[in-house]
Amino acid sequence: MPSTFRDRLIHLYYCKGITRARLHKLLHQDPSLTKLYEYSTSQLAATLAIPANIAYILYKDLHNEALLYDIKRDSSRYTIITIVDDIYPAMLKTIKDLPLVLFAIGNMNLLHQFPSLSVVGTRTPSNEGMKKTTYLLSPLIKQGWVIVSGMAKGIDSFAHRTALAEKGYTIAVLGSGFQHIYPKQNVGLFKEIITSNGLILSEYPPTTAPQPYHFPERNRIISGLGFGTLVIEAMERSGTLITVEQALEQGREVFATPGDPWIPQTKGCHKIIQEGAKLITKWEDIEEDWETIKGIWQR
C-alpha cells in the first residue's frame, strides 16, 4: 500500500475499475483511503456496488507492483498534482466535481496567473470565426491574459495558436493521456505549447487513450480554469454548449460573439445570447467585465 494519502490517491487514478464517482464514494466511506487495500474482491464489490469481475480487476491493480513502477516513471516525466498539493489551482477548487488529480507538463505558474479566459468553439469554423478569434484574443494576450482551451480541431486549436503567435500564455486541457494526443494532427501543437512556456493538463494518466466520454468530462476543467468562457462559434447542437452549461453551473461568465444568421456556425452563439450570454463585439467588453469582478478571483 502506498505510504501517504497523496500517493494512494494517485495510485487509484491508475487502477482500472475506478471511476470518479466510485472514488468519491470511497473517500466518503474511507477518507484516508487505507481500508480498500485490505478488502477482498467480494468486499470491494459490495462497498462500491460493482460487478464481481470489475472488483477482481480493481483488486489486482491495487496489489500490482508494476503499477507502482509506472507511477514512479510517470512522476519523473510529468508533474502530478493532487487536491492536497499547494500547486493545485485555486480556480478549480470552486467547481463541482473537481478533478482530484491532474497530470501536467509545462509552465506550472500559469495555474495561478490571472486573468485567464476559456475559449471554445466549433471544430469547423468559418473564415469569419477565425478572424473574430484573432480580433478578440490578440489584444488580451498582449496584456498577459492566459488563454485556456481544449486543443481540439477548429476554434480551440486556433485560440492556442493565436496565443503562441503573440508569444503569450496558453493552457490546453486534453481528453486523453499525454501519450495519446488527439487529434493526431495536433502533436506538433502539443510540443509547441510545451516549448513556448505554455501548459498542458490532463485528468487522465499518460497512457490513457481518448474515449468519447472524456471530452465532455474535460470541458468542466476548461471552463473552471477561466473567470469566463468565450464562445466564438458553435453549432446549435454541439459539445461547445456543454462547456457553456458547465461554466454557468460553476458561476463563470459566459460571452458569445454574434455572426451572420445564415451561417450554421453562429446558431449556437445566437441561442445562448438569447438565453442570457453576454454579447461580445470587441475585446474591451471582456476586459471591462474582468475589471468589475477581478477582486473576487484575486483574493
Side-chain angles (χ1 to χ4, degrees):
M1 178 178 70
S3 59
T4 69
F5 171 81
R6 180 183 186 276
D7 290 341
R8 291 190 289 275
L9 187 59
I10 294 170
H11 185 209
L12 285 173
Y13 259 68
Y14 279 76
C15 290
K16 294 182 289 294
I18 283 289
T19 62
R20 292 202 318 280
R22 289 168 187 166
L23 182 51
H24 280 285
K25 186 174 184 179
L26 275 173
L27 283 168
H28 179 73
Q29 296 177 344
D30 178 19
S32 66
L33 294 178
T34 54
K35 294 179 182 177
L36 77 159
Y37 289 92
E38 302 170 359
Y39 288 161
S40 64
T41 299
S42 58
Q43 287 174 314
L44 285 172
T47 300
L48 294 174
I50 56 178
N53 63 319
I54 301 298
Y56 176 74
I57 292 171
L58 175 57
Y59 178 87
K60 295 288 285 185
D61 272 358
L62 284 171
H63 302 281
N64 184 354
E65 290 293 327
L67 201 59
L68 296 176
Y69 172 81
D70 290 343
I71 295 171
K72 184 178 180 180
R73 177 202 61 207
D74 291 343
S75 297
S76 69
R77 296 177 178 176
Y78 315 109
T79 301
I80 303 180
I81 305 166
T82 77
I83 187 66
V84 298
D85 297 330
D86 291 340
I87 196 175
Y88 189 94
M91 296 285 282
L92 290 184
K93 288 184 178 180
T94 67
I95 73 171
K96 179 182 177 182
D97 192 18
L98 76 173
L100 298 172
V101 175
L102 288 167
F103 299 84
I105 182 169
N107 181 3
M108 303 302 153
N109 292 328
L110 298 187
L111 292 173
H112 304 280
Q113 183 163 322
F114 295 101
S116 52
L117 178 69
S118 304
V119 181
V120 294
T122 178
R123 287 173 168 75
T124 56
S126 67
N127 289 333
E128 178 187 325
M130 306 286 266
K131 291 177 182 177
K132 285 190 288 189
T133 303
T134 302
Y135 172 72
L136 292 170
L137 297 188
S138 290
L140 299 174
I141 294 165
K142 289 175 181 177
Q143 294 181 47
W145 285 51
V146 180
I147 302 302
V148 184
S149 197
M151 216 174 77
K153 290 172 58 179
I155 292 297
D156 287 32
S157 293
F158 194 66
H160 293 305
R161 292 191 187 281
T162 301
L164 295 175
E166 298 290 355
K167 302 189 184 308
Y169 302 115
T170 191
I171 299 174
V173 185
L174 307 188
S176 61
F178 296 150
Q179 296 175 27
H180 292 273
I181 303 305
Y182 182 87
K184 289 184 178 179
Q185 67 192 58
N186 276 347
V187 170
L189 177 59
F190 170 83
K191 294 177 179 177
E192 190 176 355
I193 290 173
I194 295 169
T195 58
S196 299
N197 211 26
L199 176 65
I200 308 283
L201 292 176
S202 177
E203 190 177 11
Y204 308 102
T207 59
T208 306
Q211 300 294 335
Y213 63 88
H214 287 171
F215 298 96
E217 287 181 347
R218 67 92 193 264
N219 289 353
R220 79 192 195 286
I221 301 175
I222 295 174
S223 57
L225 285 169
F227 93 96
T229 292
L230 170 63
V231 184
I232 302 291
E233 283 187 336
M235 301 292 190
E236 193 166 8
R237 294 181 180 179
S238 68
T240 298
L241 301 188
I242 296 175
T243 310
V244 169
E245 292 174 4
Q246 291 169 332
L248 291 171
E249 288 178 2
Q250 295 165 353
R252 304 303 198 250
E253 305 299 313
V254 175
F255 311 106
T257 62
D260 295 331
W262 53 84
I263 297 178
Q265 291 95 325
T266 66
K267 292 185 181 298
C269 286
H270 294 163
K271 180 176 183 291
I272 63 175
I273 288 170
Q274 289 176 327
E275 294 173 350
K278 297 183 181 182
L279 187 153
I280 299 300
T281 60
K282 57 186 185 301
W283 64 270
E284 289 94 341
D285 296 335
I286 302 172
E287 184 182 52
E288 288 171 6
D289 207 83
W290 167 249
E291 289 297 325
T292 300
I293 66 171
K294 67 180 181 181
I296 298 172
W297 296 111
Q298 292 181 323
R299 290 173 183 170

